[in-house]
């Protein structure tokens, strides 16, 4: 097995060695001997940064997949209530971009009941082949039949990469099938690229966005990645239809599930934050709940949506569905105005890709400034009323 | 009826940074706690126990210090704890972690119900629960919003599907990952903490598992590899405006007009 070996005879200064390990897994025991504890994450930092020769890697045998046997990028089509989730197009756009580099096909797979008429639309977004599993048993999302469908297609088509949207369905389905295939899955990727040898470069945040990790799945196929909505731009819809539609068969037995669906109810429709072109977001700089009227007026004047940071959600001032950030929504509107938001990294993770970011904040050292395209240093209570008034003067709609 | 709750010990805060020069992870302190999302799974288990008299066990994979997290679970009312620990588990990604946990759960004995939190605060992947279920060949449901009924044979629950909610009945054995706020987690009890201070925590090592093949665990069993870690990039150019409020309002509206965010009266 791969492990780290300690060459005790090369140790000069044993006291210094525990400091090398970011996970506290190097310890000097009571006999003064250096040990590696089970908390070792095999980050190999001790090998790279430690005194030469003290820590060495013992390579185990590596089983390597034949990469050439797995070709193509497969996108799982997320849909609900007869509508394709726009996230699917974002994934198809990214898949197309990567496929052009490596000359691979782009596949899409959809599962559901009465969904085949949705399939042609995927061709407008660059899917070369669209595999459709259209069966009454797939009417409701239940894990076993959905996993069976995705697994079935992967075994038949052998795609090199599988991209799944980070929706509630995707986050349930992708790990299930990745485990069945004993392959790697990287969750919530924020950047993807492809090497010439079809290895997928995956970048994702960890530790609440405080660090970024670059991850590859080199030994197994396919490589699974999930991506949340609005991470990648929506590609332009090609007016020409395209893509071959393949209606797939699967044995009835694989569509069985012991899970019984008793009822399905729709959640109250709020215009989803992800769809808004203009968002006005507010944070702790707003002192009282009644002051939110100011924020709403600004959003109304711009025809935009209102969003908030986590502290305001926790105060109960907003529905959690309008929270921007790592534990909320990821947005990339054309315009985002932040009011009284300092820019904690968790918030920034959910909005940094907005096309134009304007921040209004009193603190000239707040982290939000470096994220903004335009940073206004000042009191939102003094700036926003003037803005609303000036917009009203200009705009016929609101006058 | 038995329930196993999977828990993880995580750093107390996520204020880790990467030294931009050396690429070394800098952590402020090494204080740890139970992954906050796991508290909701523990609470859900305790509520089910109140209704059914189920016995609740917990399993955690981690270094020997992770017994602290298990003790904390004891002080909330969990009855038995197992620590899955071995140097052979080091460097495990989602797949190798889930596989080791599934093997550990088999060792303890497959219960009717396995509960997990929605995700951890250090890895943030939310993928370990479904992978454990796959390795155990049992159904799973993620994003569980609430539990509305439980019998000897099955559990009825609300499953969040983003724009709609499914009410489903899932037969045992099954695995659920619960949303935060499914129940308000209770505080640890001082009395229980005293009572359970010496309660034994069984250790499960690689050699205790059915599958003892080292290639299936730790770094060897991990198909994903971290190529590197680095601090989030920020190379955005930005303008800072520091005029008086009236001037700022005027400039902002001018900017918004020039970018066509305001419909100007013709």
């Amino acid at each position: 097995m791969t492990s780290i070996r300690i060459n005790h005879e090369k140790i000069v200064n044993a006291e210094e060695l525990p400091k090398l390990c970011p996970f506290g897994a190097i310890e000097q025991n009571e006999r003064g001997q250096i040990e590696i504890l089970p908390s070792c994450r095999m980050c190999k930092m001790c090998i790279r940064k430690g005194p030469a020769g003290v820590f060495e890697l013992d390579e185990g045998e590596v089983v390597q997949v034949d990469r050439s046997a797995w070709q193509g990028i497969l996108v799982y089509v997320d849909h609900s209530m007869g509508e394709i989730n726009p996230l699917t197009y974002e994934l198809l756009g990214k898949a197309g971009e990567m496929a052009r580099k490596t000359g691979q096909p782009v596949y899409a797979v959809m599962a559901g009941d009465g969904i085949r008429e949705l399939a042609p639309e995927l061709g407008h977004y660059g899917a070369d082949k669209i595999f459709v599993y259209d069966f009454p048993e797939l009417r409701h999302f239940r894990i076993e039949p959905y996993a069976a469908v995705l697994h079935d297609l992967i075994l038949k088509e052998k795609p090199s990469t599988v991209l799944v949207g980070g929706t509630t369905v995707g986050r349930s389905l992708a790990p299930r099938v990745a485990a069945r295939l004993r392959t790697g899955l990287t969750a919530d990727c924020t950047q993807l690229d492809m090497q010439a040898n079809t290895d997928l470069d995956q970048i994702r945040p960890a530790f609440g966005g405080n660090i970024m990790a670059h991850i590859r799945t080199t030994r197994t196929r396919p490589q699974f990645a999930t991506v949340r909505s609005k991470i990648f731009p929506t590609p332009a819809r090609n007016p020409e239809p395209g893509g071959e539609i393949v209606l797939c068969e699967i044995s009835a037995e694989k569509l069985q599930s012991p899970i019984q669906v008793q009822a399905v109810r729709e959640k109250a429709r709020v215009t989803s934050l992800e769809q808004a072109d203009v968002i006005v977001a507010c944070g702790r700089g707003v002192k009282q709940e009644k002051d939110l009227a100011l924020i709403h007026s600004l959003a109304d004047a711009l025809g935009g949506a209102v969003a908030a940071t986590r502290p305001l959600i926790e105060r109960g001032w907003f529905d959690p569905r309008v929270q921007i950030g790592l534990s909320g929504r990821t947005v990339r509107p054309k315009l985002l105005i932040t009011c009284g938001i300092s820019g904690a990294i968790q918030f920034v993770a959910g909005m940094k890709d907005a096309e134009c970011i304007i921040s209004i904040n009193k603190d000239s050292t707040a982290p939000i400034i470096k994220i903004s395209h335009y940073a206004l240093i000042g009191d939102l209570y003094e700036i926003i009323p003037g803005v609303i008034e000036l917009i009203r003067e200009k705009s016929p709609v609101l006058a | 009826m038995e329930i196993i709750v999977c828990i993880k010990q995580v750093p107390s805060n996520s204020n880790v940074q990467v030294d931009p020069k050396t690429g070394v992870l800098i952590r402020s302190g090494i204080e740890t706690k139970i992954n906050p999302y796991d508290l909701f799974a523990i609470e859900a288990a305790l509520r089910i126990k109140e209704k059914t008299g189920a016995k609740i066990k917990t399993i955690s994979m981690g270094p020997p210090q992770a017994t602290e997290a298990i003790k904390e679970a004891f002080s909330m009312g969990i009855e038995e704890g197992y620590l899955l620990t071995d140097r052979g588990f080091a460097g495990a990604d989602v797949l190798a972690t889930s596989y080791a946990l599934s093997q550990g759960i088999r060792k303890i004995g497959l219960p009717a119900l396995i509960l997990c939190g929605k995700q951890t605060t250090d890895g943030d992947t939310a993928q370990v629960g479904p992978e454990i279920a796959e390795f155990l060949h049992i159904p799973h449901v993620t994003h569980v919003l609430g539990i509305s009924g439980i019998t000897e044979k099955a559990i009825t629950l609300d499953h969040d599907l983003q724009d709609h909610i499914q009410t489903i009945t899932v037969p045992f054995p099954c695995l659920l990952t619960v949303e935060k706020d499914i129940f308000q987690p209770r505080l640890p009890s001082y009395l229980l903490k005293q009572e359970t201070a010496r309660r034994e925590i069984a250790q499960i090592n690689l050699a205790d598992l059915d599958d003892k093949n080292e290639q299936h665990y730790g770094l060897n069993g991990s198909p994903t590899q971290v190529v590197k870690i680095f601090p989030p990039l920020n190379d955005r150019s930005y303008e800072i405006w520091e005029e008086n409020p009236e001037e700022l309002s005027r400039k902002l509206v001018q900017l918004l007009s020039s970018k066509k965010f305001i419909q100007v009266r013709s």
Side-chain angles (χ1 to χ4, degrees):
Chain A
M1 66 182 280
T2 311
S3 64
I4 292 171
R5 185 177 58 233
I6 309 173
N7 294 319
H8 293 278
E9 69 287 354
K10 294 196 180 158
I11 297 176
V12 180
N13 197 347
E15 294 76 45
E16 290 299 309
L17 298 180
K19 292 180 200 154
L20 286 170
C21 181
F23 300 101
I26 299 178
E27 207 177 74
Q28 196 174 10
N29 67 18
E30 54 279 16
R31 297 189 306 282
Q33 214 171 26
I34 291 293
E35 278 184 342
I36 298 179
L37 305 178
S39 43
C40 167
R41 305 269 180 106
M42 293 296 293
C43 70
K44 301 175 205 144
M45 206 59 85
C46 52
I47 300 173
R48 271 180 277 161
K49 306 294 171 193
V54 172
F55 297 97
E56 268 184 351
L57 193 68
D58 261 345
E59 294 268 16
E61 49 180 306
V62 175
V63 183
Q64 177 64 49
V65 72
D66 171 14
R67 290 186 177 91
S68 66
W70 297 79
Q71 297 291 334
I73 303 173
L74 173 67
V75 172
Y76 176 77
V77 179
D78 194 273
H79 62 90
S80 164
M81 310 282 174
E83 278 174 43
I84 293 173
N85 185 336
L87 167 58
T88 305
Y89 304 134
E90 296 160 21
L91 297 184
L92 282 171
K94 189 70 193 178
E97 186 192 311
M98 295 192 296
R100 280 190 286 279
K101 281 189 180 174
T102 50
Q104 293 186 65
V106 174
Y107 303 133
V109 58
M110 60 192 314
D113 177 24
I115 47 150
R116 62 188 71 185
E117 58 268 29
L118 297 176
E121 188 60 18
L122 299 160
H124 291 281
Y125 290 90
D128 299 311
K129 265 190 180 179
I130 302 141
F131 299 93
V132 182
Y133 289 79
D134 197 346
F135 296 97
E137 292 92 333
L138 297 171
R139 180 172 158 77
H140 299 292
F141 174 74
R142 289 175 301 174
I143 189 61
E144 305 94 328
Y146 270 70
V149 160
L150 183 54
H151 184 241
D152 182 71
L153 185 79
I154 289 170
L155 290 187
K156 280 180 189 153
E157 294 300 321
K158 299 215 161 176
S160 166
T161 291
V162 181
L163 302 181
V164 182
T167 60
T168 44
V169 165
R171 294 165 75 95
S172 182
L173 183 62
R176 184 93 200 189
V177 180
R180 191 163 298 177
L181 293 158
R182 294 216 170 223
T183 191
L185 162 62
T186 307
D188 294 334
C189 296
T190 54
Q191 290 174 53
L192 292 174
D193 203 352
M194 193 161 283
Q195 302 272 319
N197 69 358
T198 72
D199 277 356
L200 186 65
D201 283 310
Q202 305 160 107
I203 299 198
R204 76 175 301 262
F207 287 100
N210 285 299
I211 64 170
M212 305 300 286
H214 177 183
I215 294 169
R216 277 190 203 140
T217 305
T218 57
R219 301 191 315 232
T220 58
R221 287 290 186 269
Q223 322 163 75
F224 273 78
T226 64
V227 179
R228 300 210 305 184
S229 101
K230 297 276 169 177
I231 297 291
F232 300 128
T234 311
R237 182 182 187 275
N238 184 347
E240 295 299 316
E244 178 195 345
I245 295 169
V246 183
L247 291 176
C248 301
E249 292 301 325
I250 187 168
S251 75
E253 177 196 326
K254 287 192 175 166
L255 297 177
Q256 297 308 307
S257 167
I259 297 176
Q260 286 168 14
V261 179
Q262 312 287 2
V264 175
R265 60 183 193 277
E266 246 183 280
K267 285 192 200 167
R269 279 252 177 186
V270 275
T271 317
S272 115
L273 204 56
E274 286 93 336
Q275 321 285 335
D277 282 337
V278 175
I279 297 176
V280 179
C282 53
R284 271 187 293 201
V286 178
K287 297 194 186 63
Q288 312 169 63
E289 193 169 3
K290 68 175 170 61
D291 302 342
L292 294 176
L294 200 58
I295 306 296
H296 284 285
S297 305
L298 178 59
D300 289 346
L302 292 165
V306 175
T309 59
R310 187 161 167 166
L312 300 202
I313 306 291
E314 283 172 355
R315 280 179 206 168
W317 291 1
F318 288 99
D319 185 299
R321 280 176 284 191
V322 302
Q323 181 193 332
I324 292 176
L326 209 62
S327 52
R329 305 289 159 139
T330 305
V331 296
R332 52 190 305 161
K334 293 196 170 73
L335 171 67
L336 176 71
I337 302 180
T338 75
C339 308
I341 293 177
S342 63
I345 193 121
Q346 290 82 352
F347 172 75
V348 169
M351 51 64 82
K352 62 178 184 335
D353 293 323
E355 283 175 39
C356 176
I357 300 170
I358 299 172
S359 63
I360 303 174
N361 200 296
K362 276 200 285 199
D363 179 1
S364 60
T365 63
I368 192 74
I369 289 165
K370 291 188 178 173
I371 301 301
S372 315
H373 299 94
Y374 301 91
L376 280 63
I377 312 299
D379 187 342
L380 69 96
Y381 288 91
E382 291 174 7
I383 297 169
I384 296 177
V387 174
I388 296 168
E389 196 175 316
L390 288 168
I391 295 175
R392 285 190 176 147
E393 278 173 20
K394 285 179 173 255
S395 166
V397 192
L398 299 153
Chain B
M1 182 180 165
E2 285 188 352
I3 302 173
I4 293 182
V5 184
C6 301
I7 64 171
K8 185 182 183 190
Q9 190 179 46
V10 297
S12 283
N13 61 57
S14 49
N15 287 334
V16 290
Q17 286 181 330
V18 181
D19 185 317
K21 286 206 185 81
T22 62
V24 176
L25 200 61
I26 309 163
R27 289 207 201 198
S28 46
I30 45 163
E31 278 126 76
T32 57
K33 60 179 180 185
I34 294 191
N35 169 39
Y37 293 109
D38 297 345
L39 300 177
F40 300 100
I42 293 174
E43 183 63 34
L46 293 167
R47 300 283 175 112
I48 294 169
K49 180 187 171 178
E50 283 161 13
K51 286 232 157 61
T52 63
K55 178 165 184 177
I56 313 173
K57 303 174 179 180
T58 185
I59 184 168
S60 186
M61 174 167 141
Q65 307 89 282
T67 48
E68 289 308 313
I70 296 175
K71 284 185 178 166
E72 203 178 323
F74 285 164
S75 65
M76 289 176 73
I78 300 244
E79 297 155 80
E80 258 179 47
Y82 296 84
L83 178 69
L84 193 59
T85 189
D86 200 292
R87 249 192 84 188
F89 300 148
D93 71 351
V94 167
L95 189 85
T97 301
S98 311
Y99 186 66
L101 280 164
S102 73
Q103 284 283 314
I105 290 167
R106 278 186 201 278
K107 177 80 191 165
I108 301 166
L110 186 65
L113 181 62
I114 300 171
L115 290 170
C116 302
K118 74 179 267 182
Q119 65 192 60
T120 59
T121 52
D122 56 352
D124 290 319
T125 70
Q127 320 264 247
V128 168
E131 295 212 354
I132 294 174
E134 170 63 23
F135 288 126
L136 293 171
H137 307 296
I138 60 175
H140 79 256
V141 184
T142 59
H143 304 89
V144 174
L145 291 170
I147 295 169
S148 52
I150 190 157
T151 66
E152 280 293 301
K153 290 202 169 71
I155 185 164
T156 301
L157 52 90
D158 276 355
H159 175 202
D160 186 357
L161 280 171
Q162 233 147 281
D163 52 7
H164 57 281
I165 296 169
Q166 260 184 353
T167 303
I168 53 180
T169 301
V170 190
F172 297 132
C174 64
L175 181 146
L176 311 178
T177 74
V178 301
E179 277 295 298
K180 99 181 157 57
D181 300 333
I182 181 168
F183 296 111
Q184 181 63 38
R186 66 196 63 191
L187 293 169
S189 135
Y190 179 73
L191 265 177
L192 273 172
K193 188 177 173 176
Q194 297 295 101
E195 275 174 36
T196 59
R198 289 179 187 190
R199 185 180 289 169
E200 205 171 319
I201 295 169
Q203 276 211 9
I204 302 176
N205 308 122
L206 206 159
D208 301 320
L209 301 175
D210 283 348
D211 178 0
K212 298 178 177 53
N213 185 342
E214 289 175 342
Q215 293 299 326
H216 296 159
Y217 301 97
L219 195 68
N220 298 298
S222 298
T224 64
Q225 288 138 32
V226 178
V227 180
K228 65 170 180 182
I229 53 173
F230 56 95
L233 298 176
N234 182 24
D235 48 6
R236 179 162 292 163
S237 62
Y238 51 93
E239 283 182 28
I240 296 182
W241 296 357
E242 295 193 271
E243 290 86 346
N244 65 53
E246 293 75 37
E247 184 58 16
L248 286 176
S249 302
R250 197 191 57 75
K251 276 180 74 174
L252 178 54
V253 173
Q254 205 171 40
L255 174 74
L256 294 173
S257 297
S258 71
K259 289 188 173 282
K260 311 231 182 313
F261 288 115
I262 300 171
Q263 299 294 314
V264 183
R265 192 192 327 238
S266 50

